[in-house]
Amino acid sequence: MKAAAAAALEAAGVCSELTVSGRREVMAHGCRAILSYSESEVKLRLSDMILTVCGAGLTMKSYFGGAVRVSGRLTGLHFES
């Protein structure tokens, strides 16, 4: 039941989901826009926040259906309302 509620909220665009794989990759679901993109910083507008991924050698590996995968040497994640 909890999974169904989370899926309904995500479908309505109310929440975002992040998956961090070590310090090499972050996958963000619920992306509405790419605000800025460089080798040291990627700023994304998600459904419910702005996420800034900081690091070195950052690349966007995919952007499909509101899901963005950023790879590189991650040094920080910053969240804004």
Side-chain angles (χ1 to χ4, degrees), residues 4-74:
L9 286 172
E10 185 174 9
V14 175
C15 62
S16 303
E17 180 180 329
L18 300 176
T19 305
V20 180
S21 301
R23 295 186 70 172
R24 299 290 304 161
E25 183 175 273
V26 63
M27 182 78 155
H29 294 272
C31 184
R32 301 216 183 260
I34 299 165
L35 301 176
S36 64
Y37 174 46
S38 72
E39 287 187 15
S40 60
E41 181 180 279
V42 176
K43 189 175 246 187
L44 307 170
R45 178 178 304 282
L46 303 180
S47 299
D48 55 348
M49 71 182 100
I50 294 175
L51 170 67
T52 303
V53 180
C54 302
L58 299 179
T59 59
M60 290 185 25
K61 295 293 187 179
S62 64
Y63 179 43
F64 180 77
V68 177
R69 184 167 48 126
V70 179
S71 296
R73 189 170 39 116
L74 305 180

